[in-house]
Amino acid sequence: MWSQRRVVDYGLAKRAAVRSLRSGRASRGDVCDAQPYLLRAARHFGEPTERPCPVCERENVTHVTYVYGECLGRHAGQAKVTSELIAMAHDYDEFRVYVVEVCQGCSWNHLTVSYVLGNGPPDLVGQA
């Protein structure tokens, strides 16, 4: 996306959670704990992927995208589809996007990535 910046990938944390489950240090209930609201958001606003759930391996995970930021007003905290983010990036100065992967079968959920969008000034990296 044209204004995407300050990207944080949570892949290492996801691998650690799955490794903990497989080694017996965590139970399935510890990692498959999606709240009903998140499962509903996955059903109505989620975007399907081709990646199988790392826990049950029966269903593909769904991505649910949430937006947060002071400038968003009533839209803050809402689930959005990717196509809506493009328009929002043009309309708002700066807001944070969180993408959660959800398995609607076993309730696995994990934050996969977060980033900032918006038409505000670009980050000034390395300038004092």
Side-chain angles (χ1 to χ4, degrees):
M1 191 155 307
W2 67 272
S3 71
Q4 188 178 48
R5 56 197 181 273
R6 287 184 249 155
V7 177
V8 179
D9 184 327
Y10 296 91
L12 289 174
K14 174 185 169 180
R15 285 193 291 278
V18 171
R19 193 171 29 251
S20 248
L21 175 67
R22 292 190 177 144
S23 71
R25 290 189 311 268
S27 72
R28 192 168 176 161
D30 292 334
V31 297
C32 295
D33 60 350
Q35 299 295 315
Y37 177 77
L38 179 57
L39 293 171
R40 274 194 305 275
R43 195 168 36 254
H44 297 291
F45 300 101
E47 297 179 81
T49 72
E50 294 298 319
R51 284 193 307 283
C53 172
V55 176
C56 72
E57 298 177 340
R58 290 187 315 255
E59 294 192 31
N60 290 340
V61 295
T62 301
H63 281 171
V64 181
T65 302
Y66 289 97
V67 293
Y68 291 90
E70 290 180 25
C71 66
L72 297 179
R74 66 181 178 86
H75 296 289
Q78 291 183 352
K80 300 290 183 183
V81 294
T82 302
S83 60
E84 291 177 287
L85 297 178
I86 296 166
M88 290 178 71
H90 287 283
D91 293 342
Y92 296 99
D93 285 340
E94 184 172 286
F95 60 95
R96 185 154 279 283
V97 177
Y98 295 90
V99 180
V100 180
E101 72 175 22
V102 181
C103 176
Q104 296 179 61
C106 73
S107 297
W108 157 264
N109 64 103
H110 202 279
L111 179 62
T112 60
V113 67
S114 69
Y115 51 90
V116 170
L117 288 179
N119 62 20
D123 292 342
L124 301 175
V125 179
Q127 295 183 3

